[in-house]
Amino acid sequence: MSRLTFPDGFVWGAATSSHQIEGGNVNNDWWAREHAPDAYTIEPSGDACDSYHRYPEDVAIVADLGLGSYRFSLEWSRIEPADGEFSRAARDHYRRMVDTCLQAGVVPNVSLNHFTVPRWFDEGGGWTAQDAADRFARFTEFVEPVVARDVPWVCTINEPNITACFANLAADTTFGGVGLPAPDLRIADGLTAAHHRAVEIVRSWGGPRVGWAVATQAYDALPGCEEQTARYAEPRETRFLHEATGDDWLGIQAYTRTFVGPDGPLPVAEGVETTLTGWEYFPDAVGVGLRTAAREVPGVPLLVTENGIATADDERRRAYTEGALRSVHAAVTDGIDVLGYYHWSLLDNFEWVAGYRPTFGLVAVDRSTFTRTVKPSARWLGGVARANALG
Ligand code: BGC
């Protein structure tokens, strides 16, 4: 097959999030949920990958692989442990992460929020509270020393659409179930307002390019079900894409596709390959997500901020990623402005409700020693990144 070269300056990287890798995030809403008497999470996050202490090792792996950028998130519950009470030490920790990246020649890409919020924020109404956007703005202003300089990419909020849907995740809904729960529209509104406030603040610093990242599901209508599909997608995806209008970039996160029939989303058909999250193995998902976004918010540059596969078979990870990159390249060839590609995830980490079983990592992590072991797929992806080309 012919060699596929990506545009000059295309960003390559790997992604993580604070709660999924740091460990010991006892002061956020997820820790509370994991330990509630009626917890529907499979297991608690515990020490995770101990990345709160081992981040220099993680950054060194990114550098060594030749993946030029590391996407990680700030843990709000550490930085503002109580309402209005800020920790300079926690803020310094994240600035050290940025500095560690810079020293290693790795470009930092920082999310201000990736699902978790401090307990006090959650208990005070979370994203539905009247002053939610003010509180997020106050936090954003406090982290200026972390991200205003030397961080070219700032994501305000990761997957607001999934946060809005997670709110209605009932105890009997497991990952791999059919479709997404209906979003809580008040949460969606709160997240949207918080995003716009944060964009304004980050813009005022004059440094980073700012956007947010939306989970796309490659909705595929059965014949005659186009309207039903659009109605299903609107509150779960489309409205969040539209809110990126005018932003510096829009993050696209894609893993699988969802067929929609007359009665809503359909389960994965019998005999079709699925991953450890129960999702259809569908590498083209990212290409579909890019095309959907380019149609819905024309003119906003796109950045693939997450794409990957939960599998115990690393050769399947390589094959999936190659297929995904082909679909990204095809989108670029068709004139879509794609700035880069981040693989989810750098590490095997805490997959929320599903615990540690779904392994998304390019790098394995021993759950008792925290030893990192680079997988062959990681070396392969590093080679693609160094060449800025596939094949
Ligand atoms: C999230 C990650 C998650 C991944 C795989 C995205 O929904 O941003 O936190 O681990 O997809 O489910």
Side-chain angles (χ1 to χ4, degrees):
M1 265 190 251
S2 62
R3 185 177 163 88
L4 303 179
T5 302
F6 288 82
D8 282 347
F10 195 79
V11 181
W12 294 93
T16 59
S17 87
S18 56
H19 190 67
Q20 294 179 270
I21 64 165
E22 286 183 351
N25 276 327
V26 300
N27 194 30
N28 71 28
D29 60 328
W30 266 84
W31 187 278
R33 187 168 306 152
E34 292 158 27
H35 294 85
D38 58 349
Y40 52 84
T41 48
I42 283 177
E43 55 190 325
S45 51
D47 286 330
C49 306
D50 191 29
S51 288
Y52 195 75
H53 303 105
R54 291 167 202 260
Y55 71 86
E57 205 181 326
D58 299 338
V59 171
I61 291 171
V62 173
D64 178 57
L65 287 171
L67 293 170
S69 183
Y70 183 40
R71 173 174 183 245
F72 61 92
S73 73
L74 308 183
E75 180 56 39
W76 184 2
S77 66
R78 289 186 189 264
I79 295 175
E80 190 179 358
D83 189 0
E85 196 177 311
F86 289 91
S87 164
R88 287 183 171 70
R91 180 173 69 182
D92 288 351
H93 166 86
Y94 291 103
R95 181 62 215 189
R96 280 195 295 276
M97 284 188 77
V98 168
D99 290 336
T100 303
C101 286
L102 299 176
Q103 280 150 20
V106 167
V107 173
N109 177 326
V110 178
S111 298
L112 305 180
N113 176 269
H114 192 122
F115 293 163
T116 54
V117 295
R119 286 188 193 218
W120 62 261
F121 179 82
D122 192 43
E123 286 156 10
W127 296 110
T128 65
Q130 275 239 309
D131 56 358
D134 291 339
R135 287 166 160 180
F136 190 62
R138 188 178 61 181
F139 164 71
T140 303
E141 278 162 359
F142 184 74
V143 299
E144 177 180 350
V146 181
V147 289
R149 286 173 317 285
D150 312 315
V151 176
W153 307 99
V154 169
C155 171
T156 59
I157 297 170
N158 177 78
E159 294 191 352
N161 53 330
I162 299 298
T163 296
C165 293
F166 263 177
N168 286 330
L169 199 67
D172 61 351
T173 308
T174 54
F175 270 32
V178 181
L180 289 171
D184 181 322
L185 298 180
R186 289 170 320 145
I187 293 182
D189 288 343
L191 288 159
T192 303
H195 168 65
H196 292 311
R197 286 286 299 283
V199 167
E200 249 175 63
I201 294 167
V202 176
R203 283 239 172 102
S204 74
W205 299 332
R209 296 172 80 177
V210 61
W212 73 352
V214 176
T216 60
Q217 306 293 331
Y219 290 116
D220 205 334
L222 292 196
C225 298
E226 290 74 14
E227 260 181 48
Q228 160 86 14
T229 304
R231 265 203 310 280
Y232 184 80
E234 212 290 325
R236 291 173 176 80
E237 178 173 321
T238 322
R239 63 165 281 177
F240 295 91
L241 297 174
H242 290 160
E243 293 297 340
T245 306
D247 289 355
D248 299 330
W249 54 273
L250 165 62
I252 294 305
Q253 319 210 140
Y255 294 89
T256 189
R257 78 171 144 189
T258 306
F259 285 101
V260 182
D263 302 320
L266 301 168
V268 178
E270 197 89 11
V272 168
E273 179 178 351
T274 56
T275 69
L276 286 176
T277 38
W279 303 340
E280 179 184 344
Y281 175 96
F282 184 61
D284 283 348
V286 64
V288 176
L290 289 167
R291 286 168 201 275
T292 304
R295 191 180 63 237
E296 296 295 339
V297 266
V300 179
L302 306 175
L303 182 63
V304 178
T305 33
E306 283 184 30
N307 169 252
I309 174 176
T311 178
D313 178 349
D314 194 52
E315 174 45 31
R316 255 356 237 152
R317 183 179 339 276
R318 194 208 54 74
Y320 175 93
T321 309
E322 180 173 345
L325 289 175
R326 287 188 181 283
S327 78
V328 172
H329 191 273
V332 171
T333 306
D334 288 346
I336 296 177
D337 187 7
V338 187
L339 302 169
Y341 172 91
Y342 287 82
H343 193 82
W344 183 271
S345 176
L346 178 66
L347 306 173
D348 283 345
N349 61 37
F350 178 69
E351 179 53 23
W352 307 110
V353 175
Y356 287 97
R357 202 179 76 92
T359 41
F360 277 95
L362 294 167
V363 177
V365 179
D366 183 297
R367 299 275 308 116
S368 43
T369 63
F370 306 111
T371 303
R372 275 78 166 133
T373 306
V374 171
K375 301 179 190 178
S377 59
R379 301 238 177 261
W380 171 83
L381 185 59
V384 173
R386 284 183 209 272
N388 198 32
L390 196 59

